[in-house]
Amino acid sequence: MLDSAGKVAERGAELVARVLRVRPNAVLGLATGKTPIKLYRQLIGKYRAGELSFGRVSTFNLDEYLGIEPDDPRSYRAYMEREFFGHVDIDRANTHIPACPPGENPKQVGPRYEERIRHAGGIDLQILGIGQNGHIGFNEPSSSLNSRTRVKTLAGKTVEDNSELLSPGEFQPRLAITMGIATIMQARRVLLLATGAKKAAAVAQMVEGPVTAMCPASILQMHEYVTVLVDEAAAAALKNRAYYDLTFRENEALDERFGAYYADS
Ligand code: PGA
């Protein structure tokens, strides 16, 4: 738990930087939405300061809308360009987004995307946000906990939350292609960021509730290596906060003393 959304982004960027120091050719899983924008700013800052290079990094985004062209400013491709790719030394050929080219069967995109992830050697670090309804990617409540990249119908709540980013009367996508829950669970490490009071209930359900498809993020309780970074407001409904703060500090102290440890490095 950290004091502010700014601190969450700072700490998150430090964690990404640690992974890239150990593995400069890491495969990163990327998220869109409001939350990771500050994290991307931090990473851009580190790149500009010469602390980080993305020259050998590959990326796989979690999701993309169906029916929106890549050059449409509302697409997640455009978001990534605007918020991150356009400001660092990443090779666009190594950036992947599960978009469906016009005229193609969207149901074929998922298996192809899975194959690309496998071919790249799997995701080293997956960055995630969480929806107010507990979704990760666009895996809405009731999504199979064993799902793979596929077409998903957005939940009413997601459509409502996302409409804040659209002008009134604009076409609003109701379908998307998203990495599945099993795809996310296969990432070697997960970094989930949540900020603001609107996320408090979802964060508490994810961490302290039952593992259930009705809160897709709760499956992360079964992941081997997850870091959840939250600000005060998003942590407000957690019952066991003092203990989480303690374990976080102890872990940080070990990492500071011995360096971050990766079993596979
Ligand atoms: P947000 O979205 O960062 O815009 O709140 C998070 C999500 O829906 O996963």
Side-chain angles (χ1 to χ4, degrees):
M1 205 267 305
L2 296 152
D3 305 340
S4 64
K7 288 262 163 56
V8 166
E10 244 172 64
R11 192 60 68 103
E14 188 43 46
L15 203 146
V16 175
R18 279 186 205 163
V19 170
L20 293 187
R21 269 176 225 133
V22 175
R23 186 169 289 183
N25 60 345
V27 179
L28 299 180
L30 300 179
T32 50
K34 279 178 277 192
T35 315
I37 291 178
K38 288 193 171 74
L39 169 77
Y40 294 135
R41 299 234 164 104
Q42 288 285 331
L43 291 175
I44 293 165
K46 286 182 186 297
Y47 162 71
R48 288 193 178 140
E51 290 169 37
L52 271 189
S53 165
F54 297 88
R56 294 171 59 202
V57 166
S58 327
T59 64
F60 287 87
N61 266 72
L62 280 169
D63 42 26
E64 178 59 286
Y65 291 123
L66 259 181
I68 285 197
E69 306 286 321
D71 54 1
D72 186 311
R74 294 165 300 168
S75 75
Y76 285 163
R77 167 61 72 185
Y79 168 107
M80 288 312 303
E81 217 28 70
R82 198 165 55 234
E83 304 295 345
F84 187 47
F85 297 157
H87 309 278
V88 295
D89 60 342
I90 199 155
D91 179 350
R92 298 300 187 288
N94 297 331
T95 64
H96 308 275
I97 293 191
C100 182
E104 275 196 32
N105 179 354
K107 294 203 170 173
Q108 289 174 348
V109 174
R112 220 163 43 214
Y113 203 60
E114 293 281 334
E115 181 49 39
R116 285 205 182 125
I117 294 173
R118 258 194 306 277
H119 188 72
I123 292 170
D124 291 303
L125 176 70
Q126 176 66 55
I127 295 163
L128 290 179
I130 181 171
Q132 290 180 52
N133 64 2
H135 75 198
I136 45 178
F138 277 132
N139 295 287
E140 303 288 18
S142 82
S143 284
S144 162
L145 296 179
N146 211 19
S147 49
R148 290 280 163 185
T149 307
R150 70 211 181 290
V151 177
K152 245 346 249 188
T153 305
L154 306 187
K157 175 70 184 145
T158 303
V159 172
E160 189 188 306
D161 292 348
N162 290 358
S163 67
E164 287 171 23
L165 303 172
L166 300 175
S167 324
E170 234 179 339
F171 163 72
Q172 181 150 15
R174 282 163 200 278
L175 291 176
I177 297 176
T178 182
M179 271 189 207
I181 296 179
T183 322
I184 292 169
M185 287 293 283
Q186 248 179 5
R188 294 184 185 91
R189 185 171 183 177
V190 172
L191 170 63
L192 186 141
L193 311 178
T195 57
K198 284 183 181 170
K199 300 292 171 70
V203 166
Q205 272 190 35
M206 162 177 72
V207 177
E208 297 177 340
V211 173
T212 164
M214 293 315 288
C215 176
S218 65
I219 191 70
L220 295 171
Q221 292 174 26
M222 303 192 75
H223 193 282
E224 198 181 347
Y225 199 172
V226 182
T227 305
V228 176
L229 296 177
V230 288
D231 65 357
E232 287 272 0
L238 288 167
K239 294 200 178 75
N240 221 356
R241 250 172 83 169
Y243 177 69
Y244 309 141
D245 284 341
L246 183 63
T247 55
F248 187 70
R249 281 200 302 274
E250 295 292 358
N251 259 320
E252 287 287 299
L254 281 175
D255 279 357
E256 242 160 64
R257 191 154 162 226
F258 298 108
Y261 175 71
Y262 299 100
D264 56 350
S265 59

